[in-house]
Amino acid sequence: MGNIQRSDYNAQCDIDVQHPNWMKNLSDQCLLGELFIPGTHDSCSLHGGDAIQCQSLPLPKQFRAGIRYLDIRLRHFNDTLPVHHGLKFQHTNFTGVLRSCREFLEEEPSEGILMRVKQEYQAANNTTSFDQLVKGTCLSVLGAKWFVDYKGKLEALTLGQLRGKILILQQYRGEKAPGAFRYGCLDIQDEYSLPTVFHIKSKISQIEDHFKKKRGCVSLNHLSGSGAGCYPYTCARNTNSAALEVLRRNETMQGTIVAADFPGSGLISEIVRRNG
């Protein structure tokens, strides 16, 4: 992977860009469907080697850099919710993720966080269902006041309603978490299977096409991909730069979440700039 820092790719444990409160100067009436949201894929995947690791920055540093969309994968294990990437435990749990979100939002109440929640790996030794455990953890660790209370269309959610709160995008069956929306309501590009490095070109085409697509709902464009012959960092070194180039050429795209592996300062800054 290497200790590389480029404008579009950052594999170091720190990053030179800081956008801790980029939402602050935007109007409360700004709609989610009008924003570009920088995010990370497998946001807590910092461990497991080149075939598994997707990020180099822990959540607090991601937040300070400007990331506002998280991709959180939870294993259902012993009635707890450890964070996993595949079989690999990522040395934290859902409680830790929620506390990191709260600590950031207490420091920067003008900001809001979107969080995809997905069940990962094999469930084992549980007496409580996954959906009930996620909901119960949200309420016991933070309480309902930290989650968006909104029942309209996602693209019509205002920044004023998001400020200081978490909006969960739920990718599992069962009872909803506090204020959650179904992940499937997004217009999603997530072609993650890349058997070899020679498939990266096709992935880039899909990313570019999804950016240009006309839509009536919030879009999610994953820059990530991996496979037996293509590690996450190899994909990111190519797709991140391609996405940055598209963003610099096109001034009109709105309503998009961009989820990257090892996002660089230029990629984050360009997405943030488009909101201001």
Short mmCIF file of all heavy atoms in Angstrom, two decimals, residues 188-254:
data_model
loop_
_atom_site.label_atom_id
_atom_site.label_comp_id
_atom_site.label_asym_id
_atom_site.label_seq_id
_atom_site.Cartn_x
_atom_site.Cartn_y
_atom_site.Cartn_z
N ILE A 188 -27.85 3.94 -6.35
CA ILE A 188 -26.53 3.46 -5.93
C ILE A 188 -25.73 2.87 -7.09
O ILE A 188 -26.24 2.06 -7.86
CB ILE A 188 -26.69 2.39 -4.83
CG1 ILE A 188 -27.44 2.95 -3.63
CG2 ILE A 188 -25.31 1.86 -4.39
CD1 ILE A 188 -27.96 1.88 -2.68
N GLN A 189 -24.47 3.27 -7.18
CA GLN A 189 -23.47 2.59 -8.01
C GLN A 189 -22.47 1.97 -7.05
O GLN A 189 -21.79 2.68 -6.31
CB GLN A 189 -22.78 3.58 -8.96
CG GLN A 189 -21.74 2.94 -9.90
CD GLN A 189 -20.44 2.55 -9.22
OE1 GLN A 189 -20.05 1.37 -9.20
NE2 GLN A 189 -19.77 3.51 -8.62
N ASP A 190 -22.39 0.65 -7.04
CA ASP A 190 -21.48 -0.05 -6.12
C ASP A 190 -20.96 -1.33 -6.78
O ASP A 190 -21.10 -2.42 -6.24
CB ASP A 190 -22.19 -0.36 -4.80
CG ASP A 190 -21.24 -0.91 -3.74
OD1 ASP A 190 -20.01 -0.76 -3.91
OD2 ASP A 190 -21.73 -1.50 -2.76
N GLU A 191 -20.39 -1.19 -7.95
CA GLU A 191 -19.82 -2.35 -8.65
C GLU A 191 -18.43 -2.62 -8.05
O GLU A 191 -17.42 -2.13 -8.54
CB GLU A 191 -19.72 -2.07 -10.15
CG GLU A 191 -19.29 -3.27 -10.97
CD GLU A 191 -20.14 -4.50 -10.71
OE1 GLU A 191 -21.36 -4.43 -10.94
OE2 GLU A 191 -19.58 -5.53 -10.25
N TYR A 192 -18.41 -3.38 -6.97
CA TYR A 192 -17.18 -3.53 -6.19
C TYR A 192 -16.32 -4.71 -6.62
O TYR A 192 -15.15 -4.81 -6.24
CB TYR A 192 -17.52 -3.70 -4.70
CG TYR A 192 -18.38 -4.90 -4.40
CD1 TYR A 192 -17.81 -6.14 -4.18
CD2 TYR A 192 -19.76 -4.78 -4.34
CE1 TYR A 192 -18.60 -7.25 -3.91
CE2 TYR A 192 -20.56 -5.87 -4.07
CZ TYR A 192 -19.97 -7.10 -3.85
OH TYR A 192 -20.77 -8.20 -3.60
N SER A 193 -16.86 -5.64 -7.40
CA SER A 193 -16.13 -6.85 -7.75
C SER A 193 -15.16 -6.58 -8.91
O SER A 193 -15.58 -6.35 -10.05
CB SER A 193 -17.10 -7.96 -8.14
OG SER A 193 -16.39 -9.14 -8.50
N LEU A 194 -13.88 -6.59 -8.60
CA LEU A 194 -12.83 -6.38 -9.59
C LEU A 194 -11.88 -7.58 -9.55
O LEU A 194 -10.93 -7.60 -8.77
CB LEU A 194 -12.06 -5.09 -9.30
CG LEU A 194 -12.88 -3.79 -9.28
CD1 LEU A 194 -11.98 -2.61 -8.99
CD2 LEU A 194 -13.61 -3.58 -10.59
N PRO A 195 -12.10 -8.58 -10.38
CA PRO A 195 -11.26 -9.79 -10.35
C PRO A 195 -9.78 -9.51 -10.57
O PRO A 195 -8.92 -10.17 -10.00
CB PRO A 195 -11.84 -10.65 -11.48
CG PRO A 195 -13.26 -10.17 -11.64
CD PRO A 195 -13.20 -8.70 -11.36
N THR A 196 -9.47 -8.50 -11.42
CA THR A 196 -8.08 -8.15 -11.70
C THR A 196 -7.97 -6.64 -11.86
O THR A 196 -8.98 -5.92 -11.97
CB THR A 196 -7.57 -8.80 -13.01
OG1 THR A 196 -8.21 -8.16 -14.12
CG2 THR A 196 -7.88 -10.30 -13.04
N VAL A 197 -6.75 -6.16 -11.92
CA VAL A 197 -6.53 -4.72 -12.12
C VAL A 197 -7.03 -4.27 -13.49
O VAL A 197 -7.30 -3.08 -13.70
CB VAL A 197 -5.03 -4.36 -11.96
CG1 VAL A 197 -4.57 -4.60 -10.54
CG2 VAL A 197 -4.17 -5.14 -12.96
N PHE A 198 -7.16 -5.20 -14.41
CA PHE A 198 -7.62 -4.84 -15.76
C PHE A 198 -9.11 -4.48 -15.79
O PHE A 198 -9.60 -3.97 -16.80
CB PHE A 198 -7.33 -5.99 -16.73
CG PHE A 198 -5.87 -6.33 -16.82
CD1 PHE A 198 -5.38 -7.49 -16.22
CD2 PHE A 198 -4.99 -5.48 -17.46
CE1 PHE A 198 -4.02 -7.80 -16.29
CE2 PHE A 198 -3.63 -5.79 -17.54
CZ PHE A 198 -3.15 -6.94 -16.95
N HIS A 199 -9.82 -4.75 -14.69
CA HIS A 199 -11.24 -4.40 -14.60
C HIS A 199 -11.46 -2.99 -14.05
O HIS A 199 -12.59 -2.52 -13.99
CB HIS A 199 -11.97 -5.41 -13.71
CG HIS A 199 -12.07 -6.78 -14.32
ND1 HIS A 199 -11.02 -7.68 -14.29
CD2 HIS A 199 -13.07 -7.40 -14.97
CE1 HIS A 199 -11.38 -8.80 -14.89
NE2 HIS A 199 -12.61 -8.65 -15.32
N ILE A 200 -10.37 -2.31 -13.65
CA ILE A 200 -10.51 -0.96 -13.09
C ILE A 200 -11.05 0.01 -14.12
O ILE A 200 -11.85 0.90 -13.80
CB ILE A 200 -9.16 -0.47 -12.52
CG1 ILE A 200 -8.75 -1.32 -11.31
CG2 ILE A 200 -9.24 1.00 -12.12
CD1 ILE A 200 -7.38 -0.97 -10.75
N LYS A 201 -10.66 -0.14 -15.38
CA LYS A 201 -11.14 0.76 -16.43
C LYS A 201 -12.65 0.73 -16.53
O LYS A 201 -13.30 1.78 -16.67
CB LYS A 201 -10.51 0.38 -17.77
CG LYS A 201 -10.86 1.33 -18.90
CD LYS A 201 -10.13 0.95 -20.18
CE LYS A 201 -10.49 1.91 -21.31
NZ LYS A 201 -9.77 1.55 -22.58
N SER A 202 -13.24 -0.47 -16.44
CA SER A 202 -14.70 -0.59 -16.48
C SER A 202 -15.33 0.07 -15.26
O SER A 202 -16.38 0.72 -15.36
CB SER A 202 -15.10 -2.07 -16.55
OG SER A 202 -16.50 -2.22 -16.47
N LYS A 203 -14.71 -0.09 -14.10
CA LYS A 203 -15.20 0.55 -12.88
C LYS A 203 -15.20 2.08 -13.03
O LYS A 203 -16.17 2.75 -12.64
CB LYS A 203 -14.33 0.13 -11.69
CG LYS A 203 -14.60 0.88 -10.38
CD LYS A 203 -15.93 0.53 -9.78
CE LYS A 203 -16.11 1.22 -8.43
NZ LYS A 203 -17.39 0.89 -7.79
N ILE A 204 -14.16 2.62 -13.60
CA ILE A 204 -14.08 4.07 -13.79
C ILE A 204 -15.20 4.54 -14.71
O ILE A 204 -15.82 5.59 -14.46
CB ILE A 204 -12.70 4.46 -14.35
CG1 ILE A 204 -11.63 4.28 -13.26
CG2 ILE A 204 -12.70 5.90 -14.86
CD1 ILE A 204 -10.21 4.48 -13.74
N SER A 205 -15.50 3.79 -15.75
CA SER A 205 -16.60 4.15 -16.65
C SER A 205 -17.93 4.19 -15.91
O SER A 205 -18.76 5.09 -16.14
CB SER A 205 -16.68 3.15 -17.81
OG SER A 205 -15.55 3.23 -18.63
N GLN A 206 -18.13 3.22 -14.99
CA GLN A 206 -19.37 3.19 -14.22
C GLN A 206 -19.46 4.38 -13.27
O GLN A 206 -20.54 4.97 -13.08
CB GLN A 206 -19.47 1.87 -13.46
CG GLN A 206 -19.68 0.68 -14.38
CD GLN A 206 -19.50 -0.64 -13.66
OE1 GLN A 206 -18.68 -0.77 -12.75
NE2 GLN A 206 -20.26 -1.64 -14.06
N ILE A 207 -18.34 4.75 -12.67
CA ILE A 207 -18.31 5.93 -11.78
C ILE A 207 -18.66 7.19 -12.57
O ILE A 207 -19.50 8.00 -12.15
CB ILE A 207 -16.90 6.08 -11.15
CG1 ILE A 207 -16.65 4.94 -10.14
CG2 ILE A 207 -16.75 7.44 -10.47
CD1 ILE A 207 -15.21 4.84 -9.69
N GLU A 208 -18.04 7.36 -13.72
CA GLU A 208 -18.28 8.55 -14.54
C GLU A 208 -19.73 8.60 -15.02
O GLU A 208 -20.37 9.66 -14.99
CB GLU A 208 -17.32 8.55 -15.73
CG GLU A 208 -15.86 8.76 -15.31
CD GLU A 208 -14.90 8.64 -16.48
OE1 GLU A 208 -15.30 8.08 -17.53
OE2 GLU A 208 -13.75 9.10 -16.34
N ASP A 209 -20.26 7.47 -15.45
CA ASP A 209 -21.65 7.42 -15.92
C ASP A 209 -22.62 7.76 -14.80
O ASP A 209 -23.63 8.45 -15.02
CB ASP A 209 -21.97 6.04 -16.49
CG ASP A 209 -21.28 5.76 -17.82
OD1 ASP A 209 -20.76 6.71 -18.43
OD2 ASP A 209 -21.23 4.57 -18.20
N HIS A 210 -22.32 7.29 -13.60
CA HIS A 210 -23.23 7.54 -12.48
C HIS A 210 -23.21 9.01 -12.07
O HIS A 210 -24.24 9.56 -11.69
CB HIS A 210 -22.86 6.65 -11.29
CG HIS A 210 -23.97 6.47 -10.31
ND1 HIS A 210 -25.12 5.78 -10.60
CD2 HIS A 210 -24.11 6.89 -9.03
CE1 HIS A 210 -25.93 5.78 -9.56
NE2 HIS A 210 -25.34 6.45 -8.58
N PHE A 211 -22.04 9.65 -12.13
CA PHE A 211 -21.97 11.09 -11.86
C PHE A 211 -22.86 11.87 -12.82
O PHE A 211 -23.51 12.85 -12.44
CB PHE A 211 -20.54 11.59 -12.00
CG PHE A 211 -19.71 11.47 -10.75
CD1 PHE A 211 -18.41 10.98 -10.80
CD2 PHE A 211 -20.20 11.88 -9.53
CE1 PHE A 211 -17.63 10.89 -9.66
CE2 PHE A 211 -19.43 11.79 -8.37
CZ PHE A 211 -18.15 11.29 -8.45
N LYS A 212 -22.89 11.47 -14.07
CA LYS A 212 -23.59 12.23 -15.11
C LYS A 212 -25.08 11.90 -15.20
O LYS A 212 -25.82 12.59 -15.89
CB LYS A 212 -22.93 11.95 -16.46
CG LYS A 212 -21.47 12.39 -16.52
CD LYS A 212 -20.81 11.87 -17.77
CE LYS A 212 -19.32 12.18 -17.78
NZ LYS A 212 -18.64 11.58 -18.94
N LYS A 213 -25.50 10.86 -14.52
CA LYS A 213 -26.88 10.38 -14.62
C LYS A 213 -27.86 11.39 -14.02
O LYS A 213 -27.65 11.93 -12.94
CB LYS A 213 -26.97 9.04 -13.87
CG LYS A 213 -28.31 8.35 -13.93
CD LYS A 213 -28.19 7.01 -13.17
CE LYS A 213 -29.52 6.31 -13.09
NZ LYS A 213 -29.41 5.06 -12.29
N LYS A 214 -28.96 11.64 -14.72
CA LYS A 214 -30.02 12.48 -14.19
C LYS A 214 -30.88 11.64 -13.26
O LYS A 214 -31.21 10.50 -13.55
CB LYS A 214 -30.87 13.04 -15.33
CG LYS A 214 -30.14 14.05 -16.19
CD LYS A 214 -31.07 14.65 -17.23
CE LYS A 214 -30.33 15.69 -18.06
NZ LYS A 214 -31.20 16.28 -19.10
N ARG A 215 -31.26 12.22 -12.14
CA ARG A 215 -31.98 11.43 -11.14
C ARG A 215 -32.92 12.31 -10.33
O ARG A 215 -32.76 13.52 -10.28
CB ARG A 215 -31.00 10.73 -10.21
CG ARG A 215 -30.05 11.69 -9.49
CD ARG A 215 -29.06 10.95 -8.63
NE ARG A 215 -28.24 10.07 -9.40
CZ ARG A 215 -27.14 10.45 -10.06
NH1 ARG A 215 -26.77 11.70 -10.05
NH2 ARG A 215 -26.42 9.57 -10.72
N GLY A 216 -33.87 11.66 -9.67
CA GLY A 216 -34.80 12.38 -8.82
C GLY A 216 -34.61 12.08 -7.36
O GLY A 216 -35.43 12.47 -6.53
N CYS A 217 -33.55 11.36 -7.02
CA CYS A 217 -33.29 11.03 -5.62
C CYS A 217 -31.81 11.19 -5.33
O CYS A 217 -31.01 11.44 -6.23
CB CYS A 217 -33.77 9.61 -5.30
SG CYS A 217 -32.95 8.33 -6.27
N VAL A 218 -31.43 11.04 -4.07
CA VAL A 218 -30.03 11.18 -3.68
C VAL A 218 -29.23 10.00 -4.23
O VAL A 218 -29.65 8.85 -4.15
CB VAL A 218 -29.91 11.25 -2.14
CG1 VAL A 218 -28.44 11.34 -1.73
CG2 VAL A 218 -30.67 12.45 -1.60
N SER A 219 -28.07 10.31 -4.78
CA SER A 219 -27.21 9.31 -5.41
C SER A 219 -26.06 8.93 -4.48
O SER A 219 -25.58 9.75 -3.69
CB SER A 219 -26.65 9.90 -6.71
OG SER A 219 -25.60 9.11 -7.21
N LEU A 220 -25.61 7.69 -4.60
CA LEU A 220 -24.42 7.22 -3.89
C LEU A 220 -23.48 6.58 -4.90
O LEU A 220 -23.84 5.60 -5.56
CB LEU A 220 -24.81 6.21 -2.80
CG LEU A 220 -23.67 5.48 -2.08
CD1 LEU A 220 -22.72 6.47 -1.41
CD2 LEU A 220 -24.23 4.51 -1.04
N ASN A 221 -22.30 7.14 -5.05
CA ASN A 221 -21.33 6.69 -6.04
C ASN A 221 -20.10 6.13 -5.33
O ASN A 221 -19.31 6.89 -4.77
CB ASN A 221 -20.94 7.85 -6.96
CG ASN A 221 -20.44 7.38 -8.31
OD1 ASN A 221 -20.20 6.20 -8.53
ND2 ASN A 221 -20.27 8.33 -9.23
N HIS A 222 -19.96 4.81 -5.33
CA HIS A 222 -18.82 4.16 -4.70
C HIS A 222 -17.61 4.16 -5.64
O HIS A 222 -17.70 3.66 -6.76
CB HIS A 222 -19.14 2.71 -4.33
CG HIS A 222 -19.90 2.57 -3.05
ND1 HIS A 222 -21.26 2.47 -3.00
CD2 HIS A 222 -19.47 2.49 -1.76
CE1 HIS A 222 -21.66 2.33 -1.75
NE2 HIS A 222 -20.59 2.36 -0.97
N LEU A 223 -16.50 4.70 -5.17
CA LEU A 223 -15.26 4.65 -5.93
C LEU A 223 -14.47 3.38 -5.64
O LEU A 223 -13.45 3.12 -6.26
CB LEU A 223 -14.39 5.87 -5.60
CG LEU A 223 -15.06 7.24 -5.65
CD1 LEU A 223 -14.01 8.34 -5.48
CD2 LEU A 223 -15.85 7.44 -6.92
N SER A 224 -14.95 2.59 -4.71
CA SER A 224 -14.21 1.44 -4.19
C SER A 224 -14.45 0.18 -5.01
O SER A 224 -15.47 0.01 -5.67
CB SER A 224 -14.62 1.18 -2.74
OG SER A 224 -16.04 1.10 -2.65
N GLY A 225 -13.47 -0.74 -4.91
CA GLY A 225 -13.59 -2.04 -5.54
C GLY A 225 -12.40 -2.90 -5.17
O GLY A 225 -11.33 -2.38 -4.81
N SER A 226 -12.57 -4.21 -5.24
CA SER A 226 -11.46 -5.12 -4.92
C SER A 226 -11.79 -6.52 -5.42
O SER A 226 -12.92 -6.82 -5.80
CB SER A 226 -11.20 -5.16 -3.41
OG SER A 226 -12.32 -5.70 -2.72
N GLY A 227 -10.80 -7.37 -5.40
CA GLY A 227 -10.95 -8.77 -5.80
C GLY A 227 -9.63 -9.50 -5.61
O GLY A 227 -8.65 -8.90 -5.13
N ALA A 228 -9.59 -10.75 -5.98
CA ALA A 228 -8.39 -11.57 -5.77
C ALA A 228 -7.17 -10.97 -6.46
O ALA A 228 -6.04 -11.09 -5.98
CB ALA A 228 -8.63 -12.99 -6.26
N GLY A 229 -7.41 -10.30 -7.59
CA GLY A 229 -6.30 -9.72 -8.33
C GLY A 229 -6.26 -8.22 -8.30
O GLY A 229 -5.59 -7.58 -9.13
N CYS A 230 -6.95 -7.63 -7.34
CA CYS A 230 -6.98 -6.16 -7.24
C CYS A 230 -7.31 -5.76 -5.82
O CYS A 230 -8.45 -5.89 -5.37
CB CYS A 230 -8.02 -5.59 -8.21
SG CYS A 230 -8.10 -3.78 -8.22
N TYR A 231 -6.32 -5.27 -5.08
CA TYR A 231 -6.53 -4.87 -3.70
C TYR A 231 -7.25 -3.50 -3.64
O TYR A 231 -7.21 -2.73 -4.61
CB TYR A 231 -5.21 -4.75 -2.96
CG TYR A 231 -4.54 -6.08 -2.65
CD1 TYR A 231 -3.16 -6.15 -2.41
CD2 TYR A 231 -5.28 -7.25 -2.58
CE1 TYR A 231 -2.55 -7.35 -2.10
CE2 TYR A 231 -4.68 -8.46 -2.28
CZ TYR A 231 -3.31 -8.51 -2.05
OH TYR A 231 -2.71 -9.70 -1.75
N PRO A 232 -7.91 -3.19 -2.51
CA PRO A 232 -8.62 -1.91 -2.41
C PRO A 232 -7.76 -0.70 -2.72
O PRO A 232 -8.21 0.24 -3.37
CB PRO A 232 -9.09 -1.90 -0.95
CG PRO A 232 -9.25 -3.35 -0.59
CD PRO A 232 -8.15 -4.04 -1.33
N TYR A 233 -6.50 -0.70 -2.26
CA TYR A 233 -5.65 0.46 -2.50
C TYR A 233 -5.31 0.61 -3.98
O TYR A 233 -5.15 1.73 -4.48
CB TYR A 233 -4.38 0.40 -1.64
CG TYR A 233 -3.33 -0.60 -2.07
CD1 TYR A 233 -2.40 -0.29 -3.06
CD2 TYR A 233 -3.26 -1.85 -1.47
CE1 TYR A 233 -1.43 -1.20 -3.45
CE2 TYR A 233 -2.30 -2.76 -1.85
CZ TYR A 233 -1.38 -2.44 -2.84
OH TYR A 233 -0.42 -3.35 -3.22
N THR A 234 -5.19 -0.51 -4.71
CA THR A 234 -4.90 -0.43 -6.13
C THR A 234 -6.05 0.22 -6.88
O THR A 234 -5.85 1.08 -7.75
CB THR A 234 -4.65 -1.84 -6.70
OG1 THR A 234 -3.68 -2.52 -5.91
CG2 THR A 234 -4.17 -1.76 -8.14
N CYS A 235 -7.25 -0.19 -6.54
CA CYS A 235 -8.43 0.43 -7.14
C CYS A 235 -8.49 1.91 -6.80
O CYS A 235 -8.68 2.75 -7.69
CB CYS A 235 -9.69 -0.29 -6.65
SG CYS A 235 -11.23 0.44 -7.25
N ALA A 236 -8.31 2.24 -5.52
CA ALA A 236 -8.46 3.64 -5.08
C ALA A 236 -7.46 4.57 -5.76
O ALA A 236 -7.79 5.72 -6.07
CB ALA A 236 -8.30 3.72 -3.57
N ARG A 237 -6.25 4.10 -6.00
CA ARG A 237 -5.23 4.95 -6.64
C ARG A 237 -5.66 5.37 -8.04
O ARG A 237 -5.21 6.39 -8.55
CB ARG A 237 -3.90 4.21 -6.71
CG ARG A 237 -3.19 4.08 -5.38
CD ARG A 237 -1.88 3.33 -5.54
NE ARG A 237 -1.26 3.06 -4.26
CZ ARG A 237 -0.14 2.36 -4.11
NH1 ARG A 237 0.48 1.85 -5.17
NH2 ARG A 237 0.37 2.16 -2.91
N ASN A 238 -6.53 4.60 -8.66
CA ASN A 238 -6.99 4.89 -10.01
C ASN A 238 -8.36 5.56 -10.02
O ASN A 238 -8.57 6.55 -10.72
CB ASN A 238 -7.04 3.60 -10.83
CG ASN A 238 -5.67 3.03 -11.12
OD1 ASN A 238 -5.04 3.41 -12.09
ND2 ASN A 238 -5.20 2.11 -10.28
N THR A 239 -9.31 5.02 -9.26
CA THR A 239 -10.68 5.55 -9.31
C THR A 239 -10.79 6.92 -8.64
O THR A 239 -11.56 7.77 -9.09
CB THR A 239 -11.67 4.58 -8.65
OG1 THR A 239 -11.24 4.28 -7.32
CG2 THR A 239 -11.75 3.27 -9.44
N ASN A 240 -10.03 7.14 -7.57
CA ASN A 240 -10.10 8.44 -6.90
C ASN A 240 -9.66 9.56 -7.83
O ASN A 240 -10.28 10.63 -7.89
CB ASN A 240 -9.23 8.44 -5.64
CG ASN A 240 -9.82 7.63 -4.51
OD1 ASN A 240 -10.84 6.98 -4.68
ND2 ASN A 240 -9.17 7.65 -3.36
N SER A 241 -8.57 9.34 -8.56
CA SER A 241 -8.07 10.38 -9.46
C SER A 241 -9.05 10.61 -10.61
O SER A 241 -9.27 11.75 -11.05
CB SER A 241 -6.69 10.02 -10.00
OG SER A 241 -6.71 8.78 -10.67
N ALA A 242 -9.68 9.52 -11.10
CA ALA A 242 -10.67 9.66 -12.18
C ALA A 242 -11.88 10.45 -11.70
O ALA A 242 -12.40 11.31 -12.43
CB ALA A 242 -11.09 8.28 -12.67
N ALA A 243 -12.34 10.17 -10.48
CA ALA A 243 -13.49 10.89 -9.93
C ALA A 243 -13.16 12.37 -9.73
O ALA A 243 -13.98 13.25 -10.01
CB ALA A 243 -13.92 10.26 -8.61
N LEU A 244 -11.96 12.65 -9.26
CA LEU A 244 -11.55 14.04 -9.04
C LEU A 244 -11.55 14.80 -10.36
O LEU A 244 -11.99 15.96 -10.43
CB LEU A 244 -10.17 14.08 -8.40
CG LEU A 244 -9.60 15.43 -8.03
CD1 LEU A 244 -10.53 16.19 -7.11
CD2 LEU A 244 -8.23 15.28 -7.39
N GLU A 245 -11.11 14.16 -11.42
CA GLU A 245 -11.09 14.80 -12.73
C GLU A 245 -12.51 15.10 -13.22
O GLU A 245 -12.78 16.18 -13.76
CB GLU A 245 -10.37 13.91 -13.73
CG GLU A 245 -10.29 14.48 -15.13
CD GLU A 245 -9.54 15.80 -15.19
OE1 GLU A 245 -8.66 16.05 -14.33
OE2 GLU A 245 -9.84 16.61 -16.10
N VAL A 246 -13.44 14.16 -13.03
CA VAL A 246 -14.83 14.39 -13.43
C VAL A 246 -15.42 15.56 -12.65
O VAL A 246 -16.10 16.43 -13.21
CB VAL A 246 -15.70 13.13 -13.21
CG1 VAL A 246 -17.17 13.43 -13.47
CG2 VAL A 246 -15.23 12.00 -14.13
N LEU A 247 -15.17 15.60 -11.36
CA LEU A 247 -15.70 16.69 -10.53
C LEU A 247 -15.16 18.04 -10.97
O LEU A 247 -15.89 19.04 -10.97
CB LEU A 247 -15.35 16.42 -9.06
CG LEU A 247 -16.07 15.24 -8.40
CD1 LEU A 247 -15.45 14.94 -7.05
CD2 LEU A 247 -17.55 15.53 -8.25
N ARG A 248 -13.90 18.09 -11.35
CA ARG A 248 -13.31 19.36 -11.76
C ARG A 248 -13.83 19.82 -13.12
O ARG A 248 -13.84 21.02 -13.40
CB ARG A 248 -11.79 19.22 -11.79
CG ARG A 248 -11.18 19.20 -10.41
CD ARG A 248 -9.70 18.92 -10.42
NE ARG A 248 -9.12 19.12 -9.08
CZ ARG A 248 -7.91 18.71 -8.71
NH1 ARG A 248 -7.13 18.08 -9.59
NH2 ARG A 248 -7.48 18.92 -7.49
N ARG A 249 -14.30 18.89 -13.94
CA ARG A 249 -14.80 19.25 -15.27
C ARG A 249 -16.27 19.65 -15.26
O ARG A 249 -16.71 20.39 -16.13
CB ARG A 249 -14.64 18.07 -16.24
CG ARG A 249 -13.23 17.74 -16.64
CD ARG A 249 -13.23 16.89 -17.91
NE ARG A 249 -14.18 15.79 -17.87
CZ ARG A 249 -13.86 14.53 -17.57
NH1 ARG A 249 -12.61 14.22 -17.26
NH2 ARG A 249 -14.77 13.60 -17.57
N ASN A 250 -17.03 19.15 -14.28
CA ASN A 250 -18.48 19.32 -14.30
C ASN A 250 -18.92 20.17 -13.12
O ASN A 250 -18.66 19.83 -11.96
CB ASN A 250 -19.15 17.95 -14.25
CG ASN A 250 -20.63 18.03 -14.55
OD1 ASN A 250 -21.35 18.83 -13.96
ND2 ASN A 250 -21.09 17.21 -15.47
N GLU A 251 -19.62 21.27 -13.39
CA GLU A 251 -20.01 22.22 -12.35
C GLU A 251 -21.46 22.08 -11.90
O GLU A 251 -21.91 22.83 -11.05
CB GLU A 251 -19.79 23.65 -12.86
CG GLU A 251 -18.33 24.00 -13.12
CD GLU A 251 -17.50 24.01 -11.84
OE1 GLU A 251 -18.03 24.41 -10.79
OE2 GLU A 251 -16.33 23.61 -11.91
N THR A 252 -22.21 21.15 -12.45
CA THR A 252 -23.65 21.16 -12.23
C THR A 252 -24.18 20.01 -11.38
O THR A 252 -25.33 20.04 -10.97
CB THR A 252 -24.40 21.13 -13.58
OG1 THR A 252 -24.05 19.92 -14.28
CG2 THR A 252 -24.00 22.32 -14.41
N MET A 253 -23.39 18.98 -11.13
CA MET A 253 -23.91 17.80 -10.43
C MET A 253 -24.25 18.11 -8.98
O MET A 253 -23.50 18.79 -8.28
CB MET A 253 -22.90 16.67 -10.51
CG MET A 253 -22.66 16.16 -11.92
SD MET A 253 -21.41 14.85 -11.97
CE MET A 253 -19.94 15.78 -11.56
N GLN A 254 -25.39 17.59 -8.52
CA GLN A 254 -25.82 17.79 -7.13
C GLN A 254 -26.42 16.50 -6.59
O GLN A 254 -26.64 15.53 -7.31
CB GLN A 254 -26.88 18.90 -7.06
CG GLN A 254 -26.37 20.29 -7.35
CD GLN A 254 -27.47 21.32 -7.25
OE1 GLN A 254 -28.54 21.18 -7.81
NE2 GLN A 254 -27.21 22.37 -6.50
#
